[in-house]
Amino acid sequence: MDVSTNATFENTGRPAVIKATARRLLAELGAGGLSLDAVAGGSGLAVTDLEAVFPHRDDLLTALVIDAYDGSATAMEQADQAARAAGASAGGRLLAVTRALRTWSFDNSGEFTLIYGSPVPGYHAPQDTVLSASRTPAVLAGIVRSALESGELTPPRRTVPGPPLLRPEAVELFGGVPQAPFSDLIERGIVLWSNLIGLLVFQVFSRTHDSVRDESAYFDFAIAVAAESIGLVVPPDGDSPTE
C-alpha cells in the first residue's frame, strides 16, 4: 500500500471499518458493553488506531447515534418521496414513512436500541446529535402540515386545555402554530410521534408477538388509530391517491 492509498484508508476506510464493527457489537453486546478495546478486537485494528479517529468511547457512540438518526430518517424521506410521486394522500404518506421506519428498525435493531432504548450509562448525547435527531419528527411534521394545508384533517372534538405546552423549537420545526380549530395540532403531532416510537419499541423488543397474530398488520392498524388523534385518515391500502 503506497502512501497516498494509506492516507485514503486512514481518512475514509478506517472510520467506516470502526463504525461497521461497532454496529455489529451493538447488536451483540448492547451499547453499554461497547468499548474501544472491544471494537479494536473485532476490527483487527489497534486501540491506538481507534483513538486516532475516536479518542473516547463517547466520540464513537456519538458518531453511531448520528448515523442511526440519519439512516432511519433517510429511509423515511425516501419513502415519502416515493409516496408523493405516486399521488398518495397525506394518510398514505404517513403509513409509507412509518412502515419504512419499521423496516429500518428491524434491519438495524442495535442502532434502533441505541437511539430509542434505555440510556447508555455514563453517556450524554451532545448537541451535535440534535440536527440528525430532528429529521424524523420533521418528516412527520411535513406530512401533517401538508394534510392541514390540503384540508385533509378533521377538527378535533376537544382542544388541549390550558396554555400552549410547546417549546419554541417545536413550533419552529412545524412552521408556526396553526389557527383554530387546529391550534393544538403540534401537541397532537408529538403524541403521534411518541406513539410511533413506543409502538416500534414494543415490536422490535418483542412485546406484541404474544398478543397479536400479525404484527405487520397490527402496526398498520395502530398507525391508523394514532393518526385519528390528529384528524387524519390512513387509507387501508396505504397508498390511495388523493382525489
Side-chain angles (χ1 to χ4, degrees), residues 168-189:
E169 296 86 348
V171 175
E172 181 181 1
L173 184 145
F174 190 76
V177 176
Q179 298 294 317
F182 298 103
S183 54
D184 62 358
L185 183 59
I186 303 177
E187 287 97 332
R188 292 175 181 275

Side-chain angles (χ1 to χ4, degrees), residues 64-75:
L64 295 174
V65 166
I66 291 173
D67 283 355
Y69 278 128
D70 284 338
S72 58
T74 296

Side-chain angles (χ1 to χ4, degrees), residues 13-107:
R14 183 173 293 171
V17 169
I18 294 170
K19 290 194 290 186
T21 303
R23 281 190 287 269
R24 175 172 56 80
L25 292 176
L26 281 177
E28 296 176 3
L29 305 176
L34 195 67
S35 67
L36 295 185
D37 286 337
V39 176
S43 64
L45 297 171
V47 173
T48 53
D49 291 331
L50 269 69
E51 291 175 338
V53 181
F54 302 106
H56 305 285
R57 180 210 65 164
D58 288 3
D59 298 315
L60 176 56
L61 279 177
T62 295
L64 295 174
V65 166
I66 291 173
D67 283 355
Y69 278 128
D70 284 338
S72 58
T74 296
M76 296 175 70
E77 291 163 356
Q78 291 174 344
D80 190 32
Q81 183 178 11
R84 284 188 293 169
S89 65
R93 289 169 59 192
L94 177 66
L95 190 56
V97 303
T98 54
R99 282 174 171 174
L101 181 59
R102 181 178 188 270
T103 297
W104 179 91
S105 300
F106 276 97
D107 289 346

Side-chain angles (χ1 to χ4, degrees), residues 8-222:
T8 299
F9 174 75
E10 290 185 357
N11 292 333
T12 59
R14 183 173 293 171
V17 169
I18 294 170
K19 290 194 290 186
T21 303
R23 281 190 287 269
R24 175 172 56 80
L25 292 176
L26 281 177
E28 296 176 3
L29 305 176
L34 195 67
S35 67
L36 295 185
D37 286 337
V39 176
S43 64
L45 297 171
V47 173
T48 53
D49 291 331
L50 269 69
E51 291 175 338
V53 181
F54 302 106
H56 305 285
R57 180 210 65 164
D58 288 3
D59 298 315
L60 176 56
L61 279 177
T62 295
L64 295 174
V65 166
I66 291 173
D67 283 355
Y69 278 128
D70 284 338
S72 58
T74 296
M76 296 175 70
E77 291 163 356
Q78 291 174 344
D80 190 32
Q81 183 178 11
R84 284 188 293 169
S89 65
R93 289 169 59 192
L94 177 66
L95 190 56
V97 303
T98 54
R99 282 174 171 174
L101 181 59
R102 181 178 188 270
T103 297
W104 179 91
S105 300
F106 276 97
D107 289 346
N108 303 274
S109 59
E111 291 173 273
F112 174 85
T113 303
L114 175 63
I115 57 178
Y116 293 123
S118 300
V120 181
Y123 174 74
H124 301 282
Q127 189 70 19
D128 295 352
T129 62
V130 172
L131 182 61
S132 296
S134 68
R135 289 176 61 187
T136 291
V139 173
L140 300 177
I143 293 172
V144 175
R145 167 65 71 177
S146 178
L148 175 64
E149 293 172 350
S150 63
E152 295 180 66
L153 297 183
T154 300
R157 286 193 293 268
R158 65 176 184 178
T159 59
V160 175
L165 303 174
L166 302 169
R167 294 176 62 90
E169 296 86 348
V171 175
E172 181 181 1
L173 184 145
F174 190 76
V177 176
Q179 298 294 317
F182 298 103
S183 54
D184 62 358
L185 183 59
I186 303 177
E187 287 97 332
R188 292 175 181 275
I190 295 173
V191 172
L192 174 64
W193 176 27
S194 59
N195 284 345
L196 167 62
I197 301 305
L199 175 61
L200 287 172
V201 167
F202 260 57
Q203 293 211 328
V204 173
F205 298 157
S206 299
R207 296 292 188 267
T208 55
H209 74 280
D210 57 354
S211 301
V212 299
R213 292 194 297 270
D214 186 332
E215 291 192 84
S216 178
Y218 181 77
F219 179 86
D220 290 355
F221 166 77

